[in-house]
Amino acid sequence: MANVFIIGATGGVGRRLGRLLVQSGHRVIGLYRKPEQAADLTEDGMSPVEGDMIEMTPDQLADAARGADVIVFTAGAAGSGLDRTTAIDGDGPAKAIEAAGHLGITRLYLVSAFPEAGRQRERKSGFEHYMAEKKRADVAVAASDLDWVILRPGTLTDEEGRDTVTMGPAIMYGAIARETVARALHALIEQPSVRREIIELTDGPTPIKEAVAALRQG
Ligand SMILES: NC(=O)c1ccc[n+]([C@@H]2O[C@H](COP(=O)([O-])OP(=O)(O)OC[C@H]3O[C@@H](n4cnc5c(N)ncnc54)[C@H](OP(=O)(O)O)[C@@H]3O)[C@@H](O)[C@H]2O)c1
């Protein structure tokens, strides 16, 4: 069983992932920043730890993650401003890499973004900045010596989750429910032999277990 530290544990993907991990017997530490969120995480079976990624140093992040052997980064500024996007989506994963180094943690899962996201819409500078920061984070993670997985889901929805996906190093762009992303992440965390891979993810017909097994064989 893994001890998983989730950065973004109160978010759409993070909270769903935390619940799934707890239900299958893993220990989960969830980072939160608003006092009222602690009770929600406790109710879900996670151990809440307070901290704000913008202010936290890698040392403080390591203190929060103490006891973990896996880090999941699924936090995001969610369109709350360019500087916050830089500090959370862009700089956050690098802090997580440093914290992992302090603690001897080797496994890091980063929820990133699908490169083709938003291409069909009018270009807005905030979104372009977000995509550039997501890529900057991917580069930092891929250059680290950790056993990382970069997951790039398509556009996220709050529809009901599914147990099937399309998943692979290069797939066509599409949407996917946050619950399905959480299920896919859960399956990946339970399959540590899938590592040092960039994985694109959308709704699709392949059972998650089969999709993850195919990655492992590949
Ligand atoms: N929206 C899309 O279509 C899309 C597509 C692909 C990938 N993604 C990425 O997928 C990931 C998960 O998305 P989501 O929809 O689950 O995101 P979300 O619901 O917006 O959750 C974001 C999480 O980040 C946390 N966070 C924000 N600022 C923070 C800070 N300063 N310190 C610590 N935590 C902070 C939030 O905490 P609070 O609860 O305190 O706000 C929340 O837990 C994000 O990285 C997102 O960029 C999104």
Side-chain angles (χ1 to χ4, degrees), residues 7-16 31-34 37 51-56 73-78 80 84 88-89 110-114 117 127 130 134 151-158 173 176 178 181:
I7 302 170
T10 58
V13 170
R15 191 157 176 211
R16 289 171 171 91
L31 188 71
Y32 71 95
R33 62 190 174 120
K34 301 171 197 146
Q37 293 168 326
D52 187 317
M53 282 305 289
I54 295 182
E55 285 146 23
M56 287 174 102
F73 188 101
T74 183
S80 58
R84 291 179 58 79
I88 300 164
D89 299 81
L110 173 67
V111 180
S112 181
F114 210 104
F127 188 73
Y130 163 76
K134 286 297 203 200
L151 191 65
R152 292 177 170 169
T155 298
L156 300 180
T157 73
D158 283 326
Y173 175 57
I176 183 162
R178 289 178 171 82
V181 175

Side-chain angles (χ1 to χ4, degrees), residues 12-14 16-17 20 74 111 151-166 174-185 201-204 208:
V13 170
R16 289 171 171 91
L17 173 66
L20 291 173
T74 183
V111 180
L151 191 65
R152 292 177 170 169
T155 298
L156 300 180
T157 73
D158 283 326
E159 282 170 20
E160 224 171 281
R162 299 187 193 172
D163 291 317
T164 62
V165 292
T166 296
I176 183 162
R178 289 178 171 82
E179 172 66 29
T180 313
V181 175
R183 290 180 195 178
L185 256 175
L201 178 72
T202 64
D203 272 334
I208 290 173

Side-chain angles (χ1 to χ4, degrees), residues 21-200:
L21 287 165
V22 166
Q23 279 160 20
S24 51
H26 301 284
R27 260 202 64 223
V28 179
I29 306 166
L31 188 71
Y32 71 95
R33 62 190 174 120
K34 301 171 197 146
E36 66 274 17
Q37 293 168 326
D40 294 337
L41 296 185
T42 305
E43 203 175 299
D44 289 342
M46 296 185 240
S47 305
V49 56
E50 192 173 1
D52 187 317
M53 282 305 289
I54 295 182
E55 285 146 23
M56 287 174 102
T57 63
D59 277 350
Q60 289 169 329
L61 196 58
D63 279 345
R66 204 162 293 282
D69 43 45
V70 175
I71 297 179
V72 176
F73 188 101
T74 183
S80 58
L82 296 185
D83 289 351
R84 291 179 58 79
T85 300
T86 303
I88 300 164
D89 299 81
D91 295 340
K95 283 186 190 173
I97 293 166
E98 216 179 312
H102 290 330
L103 294 172
I105 295 174
T106 57
R107 297 173 62 198
L108 173 67
Y109 293 78
L110 173 67
V111 180
S112 181
F114 210 104
E116 286 76 35
R119 295 299 93 180
Q120 72 283 19
R121 292 198 311 249
E122 184 197 338
R123 293 206 184 165
K124 296 219 168 108
S125 59
F127 188 73
E128 292 301 311
H129 178 71
Y130 163 76
M131 291 302 288
E133 289 301 307
K134 286 297 203 200
K135 184 62 192 282
R136 187 163 70 83
D138 286 4
V139 171
V141 169
S144 77
D145 57 6
L146 299 176
D147 283 335
W148 50 265
V149 170
I150 295 171
L151 191 65
R152 292 177 170 169
T155 298
L156 300 180
T157 73
D158 283 326
E159 282 170 20
E160 224 171 281
R162 299 187 193 172
D163 291 317
T164 62
V165 292
T166 296
M167 189 190 258
I171 62 169
M172 296 307 287
Y173 175 57
I176 183 162
R178 289 178 171 82
E179 172 66 29
T180 313
V181 175
R183 290 180 195 178
L185 256 175
H186 176 234
L188 285 164
I189 290 168
E190 291 196 333
Q191 191 51 259
S193 61
V194 178
R195 57 182 195 271
R196 300 184 76 80
E197 301 246 22
I198 296 177
I199 302 166
E200 297 181 351

